[in-house]
Amino acid sequence: MIFGKIIRLFFCVGIACMFTSCLTSTYSESYMLVANFEYGSSLKLRADSTYYAENGFSIPYNYLAFCHEVDADTKENIGGFRLSALEGLIKPQKEEDSDEETESTESIPVLGLTWRAHSFAGANTYMVYHMSQNRPSYDIEFLLPTTGTCVLSSCMVTNTAEVAEDVTGKFERGDKMVLTAVGYKGGAETGRASFALADYTQNDKIGQPKDSIVSRWTLFDLSALGAIDRVKFEIEASKDVQKYFCLDNMIAEIAISH
């Protein structure tokens, strides 16, 4: 009798342990995300080769949302991110000392374009960000903040053609334009990282003034932000210039548990 009770006790304990194990089991995954925005042909681009969600607030990529603001009446993008597939065009440089319409071998970018950068990988698409008064409260959001973590490592950035033209016409010695990424988690700031999009404060190797405008894809280190659930971008310039920049190949460490 006592032996039978002991057997039943162990049986009940075993069942309880199995049940508890099922209730507390979790699924987890960790991976490196490379957001290169190569959506293929699934997106319907506009005549200017751009895309944004007219009825939403963001362009999703995996568990990241790249946010934008859309005018309720016109459905036009009025701030934040949009996707661009517009490649840079090149026009021939005409000889200034000749009356003829001859063309030299040197070429210059068509600065009248809104965006001119190729994507970092040389493929189709990249993001263009506009810091306007109508931009969203946050520019990038991690979509699973309660069940996962997101640590941004870096991204590639460059200027748009209009910004380069604007800076060239307005900046003087001592001027500077800086892009800053501010990380947030649970509403609290986690860290900041800054990148000079244009810098007229430095000298070259022989001590002469150096005018620097970023015109090719350049690494922007975001590791100082730490683990985030939201990111906000700020562009500060010493002169009144347009505030856009291009972004591609954002790298993040993602961990999900549920």
Side-chain angles (χ1 to χ4, degrees):
M1 180 69 69
I2 296 177
F3 180 77
K5 291 182 178 180
I6 293 175
I7 293 296
R8 287 195 296 272
L9 176 62
F10 275 110
F11 179 77
C12 293
V13 170
I15 293 295
C17 289
M18 290 176 59
F19 184 69
T20 303
S21 177
C22 291
L23 289 178
T24 59
S25 64
T26 60
Y27 168 78
S28 63
E29 61 174 328
S30 299
Y31 60 95
M32 181 177 71
L33 170 67
V34 180
N36 57 16
F37 313 111
E38 302 304 328
Y39 292 90
S41 58
S42 61
L43 298 180
K44 184 177 179 181
L45 298 175
R46 291 170 173 75
D48 62 353
S49 295
T50 67
Y51 170 84
Y52 52 88
E54 293 182 0
N55 297 320
F57 76 98
S58 69
I59 304 173
Y61 196 100
N62 195 268
Y63 295 125
L64 295 180
F66 293 80
C67 306
H68 56 261
E69 192 74 28
V70 174
D71 184 273
D73 297 322
T74 65
K75 302 300 182 182
E76 291 296 321
N77 182 299
I78 54 177
F81 281 106
R82 69 176 70 189
L83 192 72
S84 178
L86 183 62
E87 296 183 349
L89 301 180
I90 299 295
K91 67 179 179 181
Q93 175 68 64
K94 295 180 180 180
E95 297 287 355
E96 295 182 356
D97 298 332
S98 173
D99 294 332
E100 299 179 1
E101 294 294 320
T102 57
E103 297 178 353
S104 69
T105 56
E106 183 182 2
S107 297
I108 60 174
V110 180
L111 292 178
L113 293 174
T114 305
W115 305 290
R116 73 182 177 97
H118 293 270
S119 67
F120 172 69
N124 294 327
T125 50
Y126 54 94
M127 288 290 184
V128 177
Y129 176 80
H130 180 203
M131 196 188 89
S132 70
Q133 294 181 344
N134 301 307
R135 62 186 173 144
S137 299
Y138 295 96
D139 300 310
I140 299 176
E141 295 193 16
F142 178 52
L143 298 177
L144 295 176
T146 59
T147 58
T149 60
C150 174
V151 179
L152 299 182
S153 300
S154 65
C155 63
M156 305 299 291
V157 297
T158 188
N159 280 301
T160 69
E162 283 194 345
V163 169
E165 185 178 36
D166 210 11
V167 167
T168 301
K170 295 178 180 178
F171 271 29
E172 300 173 334
R173 180 67 174 162
D175 286 326
K176 194 171 186 178
M177 179 169 63
V178 176
L179 167 66
T180 299
V182 185
Y184 295 89
K185 188 171 181 60
E189 184 176 322
T190 61
R192 293 174 174 247
S194 295
F195 178 89
L197 292 169
D199 189 353
Y200 281 43
T201 67
Q202 304 297 315
N203 294 327
D204 59 22
K205 293 181 180 179
I206 61 175
Q208 297 299 312
K210 179 182 179 181
D211 299 343
S212 174
I213 304 175
V214 174
S215 60
R216 63 184 63 186
W217 290 108
T218 307
L219 182 72
F220 183 12
D221 183 359
L222 299 172
S223 58
L225 274 60
I228 57 91
D229 54 33
R230 290 174 174 176
V231 175
K232 190 175 184 66
F233 288 104
E234 300 173 354
I235 301 175
E236 295 184 351
S238 51
K239 292 285 175 59
D240 184 19
V241 295
Q242 298 187 61
K243 295 181 178 180
Y244 292 83
F245 72 92
C246 302
L247 180 148
D248 205 355
N249 271 45
M250 174 163 280
I251 299 176
E253 297 292 336
I254 305 290
I256 305 296
S257 297
H258 55 266

